[in-house]
């Protein structure tokens, strides 16, 4: 067992059977009363963020989460198949672990997967990805009812908002966290 002195950003703690990743921490020593550690933690599985305070010196359960590089191969219907880039082992990752990342997942894309006791916990995508617009309506000049954007379907099947002047076949850069259009990509 570790103590609150071992809390750092990125440490994974086990609390009530759930894994929590420390995002921020602060050791506080008030003039009156005992010292404590204030943390902001994110649930590794659900993504929920909470604030939790520990008394200084309290025992905590630090878990080992291994982040490794994987390459996305294909979707077999029930799960997503990834290959470890170091030893070429393949693992199956369920829909719940992949989550919204599936909207921008391309074959042969490199991602990081957090593993705990051989189980995949979460998938970390690159911050942005280049995708091709496969379908969009032609934009009408002067139509500003929607701030100069229109819906477009990209090569992964996701729908994003793009500027009116973009058409089919154009490659665009997309933020994988929010799904926002970041810019046009010239080959």
């Amino acid at each position: 067992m570790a103590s609150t002195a071992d809390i750092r950003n990125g440490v994974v703690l086990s609390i009530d059977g759930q894994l929590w990743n420390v995002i921020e921490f602060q050791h506080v020593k008030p003039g009156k009363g005992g010292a404590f550690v204030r943390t902001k933690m994110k649930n590794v599985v659900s993504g929920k963020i909470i604030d939790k305070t520990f008394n200084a010196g309290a025992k905590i359960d630090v878990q080992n989460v291994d982040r490794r590089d994987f390459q996305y191969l294909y979707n077999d219907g029930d799960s997503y198949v990834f290959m470890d880039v170091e030893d070429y082992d393949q693992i199956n990752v369920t829909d719940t672990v992949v989550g919204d990342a599936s909207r921008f997942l391309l074959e042969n894309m490199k991602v990081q997967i957090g593993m705990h006791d051989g189980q995949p916990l979460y998938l970390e995508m690159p911050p942005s990805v280049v995708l091709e617009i496969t379908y969009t309506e032609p934009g009408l000049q002067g139509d500003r009812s929607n701030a100069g954007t229109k819906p477009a379907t990209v090569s992964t099947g996701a729908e994003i908002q793009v500027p009116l002047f973009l058409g089919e076949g154009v490659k665009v850069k997309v933020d994988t966290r929010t799904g926002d259009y970041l810019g046009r990509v010239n080959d």
Side-chain angles (χ1 to χ4, degrees), residues 25-116:
F25 74 99
Q26 180 182 19
H27 289 277
V28 180
K29 188 164 194 289
K32 195 174 196 178
F36 58 91
V37 179
R38 186 179 294 137
T39 63
K40 182 180 278 189
M41 299 186 298
K42 180 179 179 182
N43 189 303
V44 172
V45 177
S46 69
K48 180 181 176 181
I49 295 176
I50 64 166
D51 293 321
K52 185 157 178 72
T53 302
F54 298 95
N55 290 331
K59 299 294 182 201
I60 55 173
D61 189 7
V62 176
Q63 296 293 312
N64 184 21
V65 174
D66 186 24
R67 290 175 49 167
R68 298 184 9 215
D69 291 329
F70 283 83
Q71 181 177 354
Y72 172 62
L73 298 178
Y74 59 90
N75 182 346
D76 69 0
D78 298 331
S79 61
Y80 294 84
V81 180
F82 291 87
M83 178 183 68
D84 191 328
V85 296
E86 290 179 18
D87 60 13
Y88 306 111
D89 283 345
Q90 292 184 8
I91 63 167
N92 291 350
V93 180
T94 62
D95 257 347
T96 55
V97 173
V98 174
D100 277 348
S102 64
R103 295 178 42 209
F104 305 113
L105 205 52
L106 292 168
E107 287 184 9
N108 301 321
M109 177 183 280
K110 298 252 191 306
V111 298
Q112 281 195 333
I113 298 179
M115 308 276 286
H116 177 66

Coordinates of all heavy atoms in Angstrom, one line a residue, residues 25-116:
F25 N -3.5 17.2 -8.8 CA -3.4 17.0 -7.3 C -2.7 18.2 -6.7 O -2.0 19.0 -7.4 CB -2.6 15.8 -7.0 CG -1.1 15.9 -7.2 CD1 -0.3 16.2 -6.1 CD2 -0.5 15.8 -8.4 CE1 1.1 16.3 -6.2 CE2 0.8 15.9 -8.6 CZ 1.6 16.2 -7.5
Q26 N -3.0 18.4 -5.4 CA -2.5 19.6 -4.7 C -2.4 19.2 -3.2 O -3.3 18.8 -2.6 CB -3.4 20.8 -4.9 CG -2.8 22.0 -4.1 CD -3.8 23.2 -4.3 OE1 -4.9 23.1 -4.6 NE2 -3.2 24.4 -4.0
H27 N -1.1 19.3 -2.7 CA -0.9 19.1 -1.3 C -1.2 20.4 -0.6 O -0.7 21.4 -0.9 CB 0.5 18.6 -1.0 CG 0.9 17.3 -1.5 ND1 0.6 16.2 -0.7 CD2 1.4 16.8 -2.6 CE1 1.0 15.1 -1.4 NE2 1.5 15.5 -2.5
V28 N -2.1 20.3 0.4 CA -2.5 21.5 1.1 C -2.2 21.4 2.6 O -2.5 20.4 3.2 CB -4.1 21.8 1.0 CG1 -4.5 23.0 1.7 CG2 -4.4 21.8 -0.5
K29 N -1.5 22.4 3.2 CA -1.2 22.4 4.6 C -1.7 23.7 5.2 O -1.1 24.7 5.2 CB 0.3 22.3 4.8 CG 0.7 22.1 6.2 CD 2.1 21.7 6.3 CE 2.5 21.2 7.6 NZ 2.6 21.7 8.8
P30 N -3.0 23.6 5.7 CA -3.5 24.9 6.2 C -2.9 25.2 7.6 O -2.2 24.4 8.2 CB -5.0 24.5 6.4 CG -5.0 23.0 6.6 CD -3.9 22.5 5.7
G31 N -3.0 26.5 8.0 CA -2.4 26.9 9.2 C -3.0 26.2 10.4 O -2.4 26.0 11.4
K32 N -4.3 25.8 10.3 CA -5.0 25.1 11.4 C -5.5 23.8 10.9 O -6.0 23.7 9.8 CB -6.1 26.0 11.8 CG -6.7 25.7 13.1 CD -7.8 26.8 13.5 CE -8.1 26.7 15.0 NZ -9.0 27.7 15.3
G33 N -5.3 22.8 11.7 CA -5.8 21.5 11.3 C -4.7 20.7 10.5 O -3.6 21.1 10.3
G34 N -5.0 19.4 10.1 CA -4.1 18.5 9.5 C -4.0 18.8 8.0 O -4.9 19.4 7.4
A35 N -2.9 18.4 7.4 CA -2.6 18.5 6.0 C -3.5 17.5 5.2 O -4.0 16.5 5.8 CB -1.2 18.3 5.7
F36 N -3.8 17.8 4.0 CA -4.6 16.9 3.1 C -4.2 17.1 1.7 O -3.4 18.0 1.3 CB -6.1 17.2 3.3 CG -6.5 18.6 3.0 CD1 -6.9 18.9 1.7 CD2 -6.6 19.6 4.0 CE1 -7.4 20.2 1.4 CE2 -7.0 20.8 3.7 CZ -7.4 21.2 2.4
V37 N -4.6 16.2 0.8 CA -4.3 16.2 -0.6 C -5.6 16.3 -1.3 O -6.5 15.4 -1.2 CB -3.5 14.9 -1.0 CG1 -3.2 14.9 -2.5 CG2 -2.3 14.8 -0.2
R38 N -5.7 17.3 -2.2 CA -6.9 17.5 -3.0 C -6.6 17.0 -4.4 O -5.6 17.4 -5.0 CB -7.3 19.0 -3.0 CG -8.6 19.4 -3.7 CD -8.8 20.9 -3.6 NE -9.0 21.3 -2.3 CZ -8.5 22.4 -1.7 NH1 -7.7 23.2 -2.4 NH2 -8.8 22.7 -0.5
T39 N -7.5 16.2 -4.9 CA -7.3 15.6 -6.3 C -8.5 15.8 -7.2 O -9.6 15.9 -6.7 CB -7.0 14.1 -6.2 OG1 -8.1 13.4 -5.7 CG2 -5.7 13.8 -5.3
K40 N -8.2 15.8 -8.5 CA -9.2 15.7 -9.5 C -8.9 14.4 -10.2 O -7.8 14.2 -10.7 CB -9.2 16.9 -10.4 CG -10.3 16.9 -11.5 CD -10.2 18.0 -12.4 CE -10.9 19.2 -11.7 NZ -11.1 20.4 -12.6
M41 N -9.9 13.5 -10.3 CA -9.6 12.2 -10.9 C -10.7 11.8 -11.9 O -11.8 12.3 -11.9 CB -9.7 11.1 -9.8 CG -8.6 11.3 -8.7 SD -8.5 9.9 -7.6 CE -10.1 10.0 -6.8
K42 N -10.2 11.0 -12.9 CA -11.1 10.6 -14.0 C -11.2 9.1 -14.0 O -10.2 8.4 -13.9 CB -10.5 11.0 -15.3 CG -11.3 10.6 -16.6 CD -10.6 11.1 -17.8 CE -11.3 10.7 -19.1 NZ -10.7 11.2 -20.3
N43 N -12.5 8.6 -14.0 CA -12.7 7.2 -14.1 C -12.2 6.6 -15.4 O -12.5 7.1 -16.4 CB -14.2 6.9 -13.9 CG -14.5 5.4 -13.8 OD1 -14.1 4.6 -14.6 ND2 -15.2 5.1 -12.7
V44 N -11.3 5.6 -15.3 CA -10.6 5.0 -16.4 C -11.6 4.4 -17.4 O -11.5 4.6 -18.6 CB -9.6 4.0 -16.0 CG1 -9.0 3.3 -17.2 CG2 -8.5 4.7 -15.2
V45 N -12.7 3.8 -16.9 CA -13.6 3.1 -17.8 C -14.7 4.1 -18.3 O -14.9 4.2 -19.5 CB -14.3 1.9 -17.1 CG1 -15.3 1.3 -18.0 CG2 -13.2 1.0 -16.7
S46 N -15.4 4.8 -17.4 CA -16.5 5.6 -17.8 C -16.1 7.1 -18.3 O -16.9 7.7 -18.9 CB -17.5 5.7 -16.7 OG -17.0 6.5 -15.6
G47 N -15.0 7.6 -17.8 CA -14.6 8.9 -18.2 C -15.1 10.0 -17.2 O -14.9 11.2 -17.4
K48 N -15.9 9.6 -16.2 CA -16.5 10.5 -15.2 C -15.4 11.2 -14.4 O -14.4 10.5 -14.0 CB -17.4 9.8 -14.3 CG -18.1 10.6 -13.3 CD -19.0 9.8 -12.4 CE -19.5 10.7 -11.3 NZ -20.4 9.9 -10.4
I49 N -15.5 12.5 -14.2 CA -14.4 13.2 -13.4 C -15.0 13.6 -12.1 O -16.1 14.2 -12.0 CB -14.0 14.5 -14.2 CG1 -13.3 14.0 -15.5 CG2 -13.1 15.3 -13.4 CD1 -12.8 15.2 -16.4
I50 N -14.2 13.4 -11.0 CA -14.7 13.7 -9.7 C -13.5 14.4 -8.9 O -12.4 14.4 -9.3 CB -15.1 12.5 -8.8 CG1 -13.9 11.6 -8.6 CG2 -16.3 11.8 -9.5 CD1 -14.1 10.5 -7.6
D51 N -13.9 15.2 -7.9 CA -12.9 15.8 -7.0 C -12.9 14.9 -5.7 O -14.0 14.6 -5.2 CB -13.3 17.2 -6.6 CG -13.2 18.1 -7.8 OD1 -12.2 17.9 -8.6 OD2 -14.0 19.0 -8.0
K52 N -11.8 14.6 -5.2 CA -11.7 13.8 -4.0 C -10.6 14.3 -3.1 O -9.5 14.7 -3.6 CB -11.5 12.3 -4.3 CG -11.5 11.4 -3.1 CD -11.8 10.0 -3.4 CE -11.8 9.1 -2.3 NZ -13.0 9.2 -1.4
T53 N -10.8 14.3 -1.8 CA -9.8 14.8 -0.8 C -9.4 13.7 0.1 O -10.2 12.9 0.6 CB -10.4 16.0 0.0 OG1 -10.8 17.0 -0.9 CG2 -9.3 16.6 0.9
F54 N -8.0 13.5 0.2 CA -7.5 12.5 1.1 C -6.8 13.2 2.3 O -6.1 14.2 2.1 CB -6.4 11.7 0.4 CG -7.0 10.9 -0.8 CD1 -6.9 11.4 -2.1 CD2 -7.6 9.6 -0.6 CE1 -7.4 10.7 -3.2 CE2 -8.1 8.9 -1.7 CZ -8.0 9.5 -3.0
N55 N -6.9 12.6 3.5 CA -6.0 13.1 4.6 C -4.6 12.8 4.3 O -4.3 11.7 3.8 CB -6.5 12.5 5.9 CG -7.9 13.0 6.3 OD1 -8.2 14.2 6.0 ND2 -8.6 12.2 7.0
A56 N -3.7 13.6 4.7 CA -2.3 13.4 4.5 C -1.9 12.1 5.2 O -2.3 11.9 6.4 CB -1.4 14.6 5.0
G57 N -1.1 11.3 4.6 CA -0.6 10.0 5.2 C -1.6 8.9 5.0 O -1.3 7.8 5.5
A58 N -2.8 9.1 4.5 CA -3.7 8.0 4.3 C -3.2 7.0 3.3 O -2.5 7.3 2.4 CB -5.1 8.6 3.8
K59 N -3.6 5.7 3.5 CA -3.1 4.7 2.7 C -4.0 4.6 1.4 O -5.2 4.8 1.5 CB -3.2 3.3 3.4 CG -2.4 3.2 4.6 CD -0.9 3.3 4.2 CE 0.0 3.1 5.4 NZ 1.3 3.7 5.2
I60 N -3.4 4.5 0.3 CA -4.1 4.4 -1.0 C -3.6 3.2 -1.8 O -2.5 2.7 -1.6 CB -3.9 5.7 -1.9 CG1 -2.4 6.0 -2.1 CG2 -4.6 6.9 -1.2 CD1 -2.1 7.1 -3.0
D61 N -4.4 2.7 -2.7 CA -4.1 1.5 -3.5 C -3.8 2.0 -4.9 O -4.6 2.3 -5.7 CB -5.3 0.6 -3.5 CG -5.0 -0.7 -4.1 OD1 -3.9 -1.0 -4.4 OD2 -6.0 -1.5 -4.3
V62 N -2.4 2.0 -5.2 CA -1.9 2.4 -6.5 C -1.9 1.2 -7.4 O -1.4 0.1 -7.0 CB -0.5 3.0 -6.4 CG1 0.0 3.4 -7.8 CG2 -0.6 4.3 -5.5
Q63 N -2.5 1.3 -8.6 CA -2.6 0.2 -9.6 C -1.6 0.5 -10.7 O -1.3 1.6 -11.1 CB -4.0 0.1 -10.1 CG -5.0 -0.3 -9.1 CD -4.8 -1.7 -8.6 OE1 -4.6 -2.6 -9.3 NE2 -4.8 -1.8 -7.3
N64 N -1.1 -0.6 -11.3 CA -0.2 -0.5 -12.5 C -1.0 -0.6 -13.8 O -1.6 -1.6 -14.0 CB 0.8 -1.6 -12.4 CG 1.9 -1.5 -13.5 OD1 2.1 -0.4 -14.1 ND2 2.5 -2.6 -13.8
V65 N -1.0 0.5 -14.6 CA -1.7 0.5 -15.9 C -0.6 0.6 -16.9 O 0.1 1.6 -16.9 CB -2.8 1.6 -16.0 CG1 -3.4 1.6 -17.4 CG2 -3.9 1.3 -15.0
D66 N -0.6 -0.3 -17.8 CA 0.5 -0.3 -18.9 C -0.1 0.3 -20.1 O -1.1 -0.2 -20.7 CB 0.9 -1.8 -19.1 CG 2.0 -1.9 -20.1 OD1 2.8 -1.0 -20.2 OD2 2.2 -3.0 -20.7
R67 N 0.5 1.4 -20.6 CA 0.0 2.0 -21.9 C 1.0 1.6 -23.0 O 2.2 1.8 -22.9 CB 0.1 3.5 -21.7 CG -1.0 4.1 -20.8 CD -0.8 5.5 -20.6 NE -0.7 6.2 -21.9 CZ -0.8 7.5 -22.0 NH1 -1.0 8.3 -21.0 NH2 -0.6 8.1 -23.2
R68 N 0.4 0.9 -24.0 CA 1.2 0.4 -25.0 C 0.7 0.8 -26.4 O -0.5 1.1 -26.5 CB 1.3 -1.2 -25.0 CG 1.9 -1.6 -23.7 CD 2.1 -3.0 -23.4 NE 2.0 -4.0 -24.4 CZ 1.5 -5.2 -24.2 NH1 1.1 -5.6 -23.0 NH2 1.4 -6.1 -25.2
D69 N 1.6 0.8 -27.4 CA 1.2 1.2 -28.7 C 0.6 0.0 -29.5 O 1.2 -1.1 -29.5 CB 2.4 1.8 -29.5 CG 2.9 3.1 -29.0 OD1 2.0 3.9 -28.5 OD2 4.1 3.4 -29.0
F70 N -0.5 0.2 -30.1 CA -1.2 -0.8 -30.9 C -1.5 -0.2 -32.3 O -1.6 1.0 -32.5 CB -2.5 -1.3 -30.3 CG -2.2 -2.2 -29.1 CD1 -1.9 -1.7 -27.8 CD2 -2.3 -3.6 -29.3 CE1 -1.7 -2.6 -26.8 CE2 -2.1 -4.4 -28.2 CZ -1.8 -3.9 -27.0
Q71 N -1.7 -1.1 -33.2 CA -2.2 -0.7 -34.6 C -3.5 -1.3 -34.8 O -3.7 -2.5 -34.6 CB -1.2 -1.2 -35.6 CG -1.5 -0.8 -37.0 CD -0.4 -1.3 -38.0 OE1 0.6 -1.8 -37.6 NE2 -0.7 -1.1 -39.3
Y72 N -4.5 -0.5 -35.3 CA -5.9 -1.0 -35.5 C -5.8 -1.8 -36.8 O -5.4 -1.3 -37.9 CB -6.8 0.2 -35.6 CG -8.2 -0.2 -36.1 CD1 -9.0 -1.1 -35.3 CD2 -8.7 0.3 -37.3 CE1 -10.2 -1.5 -35.8 CE2 -10.0 -0.1 -37.7 CZ -10.7 -1.0 -36.9 OH -12.0 -1.4 -37.4
L73 N -6.4 -3.0 -36.8 CA -6.4 -3.9 -38.0 C -7.8 -3.9 -38.6 O -7.9 -3.5 -39.8 CB -6.0 -5.3 -37.6 CG -4.6 -5.5 -37.1 CD1 -4.3 -6.9 -36.7 CD2 -3.6 -5.0 -38.1
Y74 N -8.9 -4.3 -37.9 CA -10.2 -4.4 -38.5 C -11.2 -4.6 -37.4 O -10.9 -4.9 -36.3 CB -10.3 -5.5 -39.5 CG -10.0 -6.9 -38.9 CD1 -11.0 -7.7 -38.4 CD2 -8.7 -7.4 -38.9 CE1 -10.7 -8.9 -37.8 CE2 -8.4 -8.6 -38.3 CZ -9.4 -9.4 -37.8 OH -9.1 -10.6 -37.3
N75 N -12.5 -4.5 -37.8 CA -13.6 -4.7 -36.9 C -14.3 -6.0 -37.4 O -14.7 -6.2 -38.5 CB -14.6 -3.5 -37.1 CG -15.8 -3.7 -36.1 OD1 -16.1 -4.8 -35.6 ND2 -16.6 -2.7 -36.0
D76 N -14.4 -7.0 -36.4 CA -14.9 -8.3 -36.8 C -16.4 -8.4 -36.5 O -16.9 -9.5 -36.4 CB -14.1 -9.4 -36.2 CG -14.3 -9.5 -34.7 OD1 -15.0 -8.7 -34.1 OD2 -13.6 -10.4 -34.1
G77 N -17.0 -7.3 -36.2 CA -18.5 -7.3 -35.9 C -18.8 -7.2 -34.5 O -19.6 -6.3 -34.0
D78 N -18.1 -8.0 -33.6 CA -18.3 -8.0 -32.2 C -17.3 -7.1 -31.5 O -17.6 -6.5 -30.4 CB -18.2 -9.4 -31.6 CG -19.3 -10.3 -32.2 OD1 -20.4 -9.8 -32.5 OD2 -19.0 -11.5 -32.2
S79 N -16.1 -7.0 -32.0 CA -15.1 -6.3 -31.4 C -14.1 -5.7 -32.4 O -14.2 -6.0 -33.6 CB -14.3 -7.1 -30.4 OG -13.8 -8.2 -31.0
Y80 N -13.2 -4.9 -31.9 CA -12.2 -4.3 -32.8 C -10.9 -5.0 -32.5 O -10.5 -5.3 -31.4 CB -12.0 -2.8 -32.4 CG -13.2 -2.0 -32.8 CD1 -14.3 -1.9 -31.9 CD2 -13.3 -1.3 -34.0 CE1 -15.4 -1.1 -32.2 CE2 -14.4 -0.6 -34.3 CZ -15.5 -0.5 -33.4 OH -16.6 0.2 -33.7
V81 N -10.1 -5.4 -33.6 CA -8.9 -6.1 -33.5 C -7.7 -5.2 -33.6 O -7.6 -4.4 -34.6 CB -8.8 -7.3 -34.5 CG1 -7.6 -8.1 -34.4 CG2 -10.1 -8.2 -34.4
F82 N -6.8 -5.2 -32.6 CA -5.6 -4.4 -32.6 C -4.4 -5.3 -32.5 O -4.5 -6.4 -31.9 CB -5.6 -3.4 -31.4 CG -6.7 -2.4 -31.5 CD1 -7.9 -2.6 -31.0 CD2 -6.4 -1.1 -32.0 CE1 -8.9 -1.6 -31.1 CE2 -7.3 -0.1 -32.1 CZ -8.6 -0.4 -31.6
M83 N -3.3 -4.8 -33.1 CA -2.0 -5.6 -33.0 C -1.0 -4.8 -32.2 O -0.8 -3.6 -32.5 CB -1.5 -5.9 -34.4 CG -0.2 -6.6 -34.5 SD 0.4 -6.8 -36.1 CE 0.8 -5.2 -36.6
D84 N -0.3 -5.4 -31.3 CA 0.8 -4.8 -30.5 C 1.9 -4.6 -31.5 O 2.4 -5.5 -32.2 CB 1.2 -5.7 -29.4 CG 2.1 -5.1 -28.4 OD1 2.9 -4.2 -28.8 OD2 2.1 -5.4 -27.2
V85 N 2.4 -3.4 -31.6 CA 3.5 -3.1 -32.6 C 4.8 -3.6 -32.1 O 5.8 -3.7 -33.0 CB 3.6 -1.5 -32.8 CG1 2.3 -1.0 -33.5 CG2 3.9 -0.8 -31.6
E86 N 5.0 -4.0 -30.9 CA 6.3 -4.6 -30.4 C 6.4 -6.1 -30.6 O 7.3 -6.6 -31.2 CB 6.5 -4.3 -29.0 CG 6.8 -2.8 -28.7 CD 7.0 -2.5 -27.3 OE1 7.3 -3.4 -26.5 OE2 6.9 -1.3 -26.9
D87 N 5.4 -6.9 -30.2 CA 5.4 -8.3 -30.3 C 4.4 -8.9 -31.2 O 4.3 -10.1 -31.3 CB 5.3 -9.0 -28.9 CG 4.0 -8.6 -28.2 OD1 3.1 -8.1 -28.9 OD2 3.9 -8.9 -27.0
Y88 N 3.7 -8.1 -31.9 CA 2.7 -8.5 -33.0 C 1.6 -9.4 -32.5 O 0.9 -10.1 -33.3 CB 3.4 -9.2 -34.2 CG 4.5 -8.3 -34.7 CD1 5.9 -8.7 -34.6 CD2 4.2 -7.2 -35.4 CE1 6.9 -7.9 -35.0 CE2 5.3 -6.4 -35.9 CZ 6.6 -6.7 -35.7 OH 7.6 -5.9 -36.2
D89 N 1.3 -9.4 -31.2 CA 0.2 -10.1 -30.6 C -1.1 -9.3 -30.9 O -1.1 -8.1 -31.0 CB 0.3 -10.2 -29.1 CG 1.2 -11.3 -28.7 OD1 1.6 -12.2 -29.5 OD2 1.6 -11.3 -27.5
Q90 N -2.2 -10.1 -31.2 CA -3.4 -9.4 -31.5 C -4.4 -9.5 -30.3 O -4.4 -10.5 -29.7 CB -4.1 -10.0 -32.7 CG -3.3 -9.8 -34.0 CD -4.0 -10.3 -35.2 OE1 -5.2 -10.8 -35.2 NE2 -3.4 -10.2 -36.4
I91 N -5.1 -8.4 -30.1 CA -6.1 -8.4 -29.0 C -7.5 -7.9 -29.6 O -7.5 -7.2 -30.5 CB -5.7 -7.5 -27.8 CG1 -5.6 -6.1 -28.2 CG2 -4.4 -8.1 -27.2 CD1 -5.5 -5.1 -27.0
N92 N -8.5 -8.4 -29.0 CA -9.9 -7.9 -29.3 C -10.3 -6.9 -28.2 O -10.2 -7.2 -27.1 CB -10.9 -9.1 -29.4 CG -10.6 -10.0 -30.5 OD1 -9.8 -9.7 -31.4 ND2 -11.2 -11.1 -30.5
V93 N -10.8 -5.8 -28.7 CA -11.3 -4.7 -27.8 C -12.8 -4.5 -28.1 O -13.2 -4.3 -29.2 CB -10.5 -3.4 -28.0 CG1 -10.9 -2.4 -27.1 CG2 -9.0 -3.7 -27.8
T94 N -13.6 -4.5 -27.0 CA -15.0 -4.4 -27.2 C -15.4 -2.9 -27.5 O -14.7 -2.0 -27.4 CB -15.7 -4.7 -25.8 OG1 -15.3 -3.8 -24.8 CG2 -15.4 -6.2 -25.4
D95 N -16.7 -2.8 -28.0 CA -17.3 -1.5 -28.4 C -17.3 -0.6 -27.2 O -17.0 0.6 -27.4 CB -18.7 -1.7 -28.8 CG -18.9 -1.7 -30.3 OD1 -17.9 -1.3 -31.0 OD2 -20.0 -2.1 -30.8
T96 N -17.5 -1.0 -26.0 CA -17.6 -0.1 -24.8 C -16.3 0.5 -24.5 O -16.2 1.6 -24.1 CB -18.1 -0.9 -23.6 OG1 -17.3 -2.0 -23.4 CG2 -19.6 -1.3 -23.8
V97 N -15.2 -0.2 -24.7 CA -13.8 0.3 -24.5 C -13.5 1.3 -25.6 O -12.9 2.4 -25.3 CB -12.8 -0.8 -24.4 CG1 -11.4 -0.2 -24.3 CG2 -13.0 -1.7 -23.2
V98 N -13.8 1.0 -26.8 CA -13.4 1.9 -27.9 C -14.3 3.2 -27.9 O -13.8 4.3 -28.1 CB -13.6 1.2 -29.3 CG1 -13.4 2.1 -30.5 CG2 -12.6 0.0 -29.4
G99 N -15.6 3.0 -27.6 CA -16.5 4.1 -27.5 C -16.6 5.0 -28.7 O -16.6 4.5 -29.8
D100 N -16.6 6.3 -28.5 CA -16.7 7.3 -29.6 C -15.5 7.3 -30.5 O -15.6 7.8 -31.7 CB -17.0 8.7 -29.1 CG -18.4 9.0 -28.7 OD1 -19.3 8.1 -29.1 OD2 -18.7 10.0 -28.1
A101 N -14.4 6.8 -30.1 CA -13.2 6.8 -31.0 C -13.5 6.0 -32.3 O -12.8 6.2 -33.3 CB -12.0 6.1 -30.2
S102 N -14.4 5.1 -32.3 CA -14.7 4.3 -33.5 C -15.2 5.2 -34.6 O -15.0 4.8 -35.8 CB -15.8 3.3 -33.2 OG -17.0 3.9 -32.8
R103 N -15.7 6.4 -34.4 CA -16.1 7.3 -35.4 C -14.9 7.7 -36.3 O -15.1 8.1 -37.5 CB -16.7 8.6 -34.8 CG -18.0 8.3 -34.1 CD -18.6 9.5 -33.5 NE -18.5 10.7 -34.3 CZ -18.4 11.9 -33.9 NH1 -18.4 12.2 -32.6 NH2 -18.4 12.9 -34.8
F104 N -13.7 7.7 -35.8 CA -12.6 8.2 -36.5 C -11.4 7.2 -36.6 O -10.3 7.5 -36.9 CB -12.0 9.5 -35.9 CG -13.1 10.6 -35.7 CD1 -13.5 11.0 -34.5 CD2 -13.7 11.2 -36.8 CE1 -14.5 11.9 -34.3 CE2 -14.7 12.1 -36.7 CZ -15.1 12.5 -35.5
L105 N -11.8 5.9 -36.4 CA -10.7 4.9 -36.4 C -10.5 4.4 -37.8 O -11.5 3.9 -38.5 CB -11.2 3.7 -35.5 CG -10.2 2.8 -34.9 CD1 -9.1 3.6 -34.2 CD2 -10.9 1.9 -34.0
L106 N -9.3 4.5 -38.3 CA -8.9 4.1 -39.7 C -8.0 2.8 -39.6 O -7.3 2.7 -38.6 CB -8.1 5.2 -40.4 CG -8.9 6.4 -40.8 CD1 -8.0 7.5 -41.2 CD2 -9.9 6.1 -41.9
E107 N -8.1 2.0 -40.6 CA -7.2 0.8 -40.6 C -5.8 1.2 -40.6 O -5.4 2.2 -41.2 CB -7.5 -0.1 -41.8 CG -8.8 -0.8 -41.7 CD -9.1 -1.8 -42.9 OE1 -8.2 -2.0 -43.7 OE2 -10.2 -2.3 -42.9
N108 N -5.0 0.5 -39.9 CA -3.5 0.7 -39.7 C -3.2 1.9 -38.9 O -2.0 2.3 -38.8 CB -2.8 0.8 -41.1 CG -3.0 -0.5 -41.9 OD1 -3.0 -1.6 -41.3 ND2 -3.2 -0.3 -43.2
M109 N -4.2 2.5 -38.2 CA -3.9 3.7 -37.4 C -3.2 3.3 -36.1 O -3.6 2.2 -35.5 CB -5.2 4.4 -37.1 CG -5.1 5.6 -36.1 SD -6.7 6.3 -35.7 CE -6.9 7.3 -37.2
K110 N -2.3 4.0 -35.6 CA -1.6 3.7 -34.4 C -2.3 4.4 -33.2 O -2.6 5.6 -33.3 CB -0.1 4.3 -34.4 CG 0.7 3.6 -35.5 CD 1.7 2.7 -34.9 CE 2.8 2.2 -35.8 NZ 2.4 1.6 -37.0
V111 N -2.6 3.7 -32.2 CA -3.3 4.2 -31.0 C -2.6 3.6 -29.8 O -1.8 2.7 -29.9 CB -4.8 3.8 -31.0 CG1 -5.6 4.3 -32.1 CG2 -4.9 2.2 -30.9
Q112 N -2.9 4.2 -28.6 CA -2.4 3.7 -27.3 C -3.6 3.1 -26.6 O -4.7 3.7 -26.5 CB -1.8 4.8 -26.5 CG -0.4 5.2 -26.9 CD 0.3 6.0 -25.9 OE1 -0.3 6.7 -25.1 NE2 1.6 5.9 -25.9
I113 N -3.3 1.9 -26.0 CA -4.3 1.2 -25.2 C -3.8 1.0 -23.8 O -2.7 0.6 -23.6 CB -4.7 -0.1 -25.8 CG1 -5.3 0.1 -27.2 CG2 -5.7 -0.9 -24.9 CD1 -5.7 -1.2 -28.0
G114 N -4.6 1.5 -22.8 CA -4.2 1.3 -21.4 C -4.7 -0.1 -21.0 O -5.9 -0.5 -21.1
M115 N -3.7 -0.9 -20.5 CA -4.0 -2.3 -20.1 C -3.8 -2.5 -18.6 O -2.8 -2.0 -18.0 CB -3.1 -3.3 -20.8 CG -3.1 -3.1 -22.3 SD -4.4 -4.0 -23.2 CE -3.9 -5.6 -23.1
H116 N -4.7 -3.2 -17.9 CA -4.6 -3.5 -16.5 C -4.9 -5.0 -16.3 O -6.0 -5.5 -16.7 CB -5.5 -2.7 -15.7 CG -5.5 -3.0 -14.2 ND1 -4.4 -2.8 -13.4 CD2 -6.4 -3.6 -13.4 CE1 -4.6 -3.2 -12.2 NE2 -5.9 -3.7 -12.2

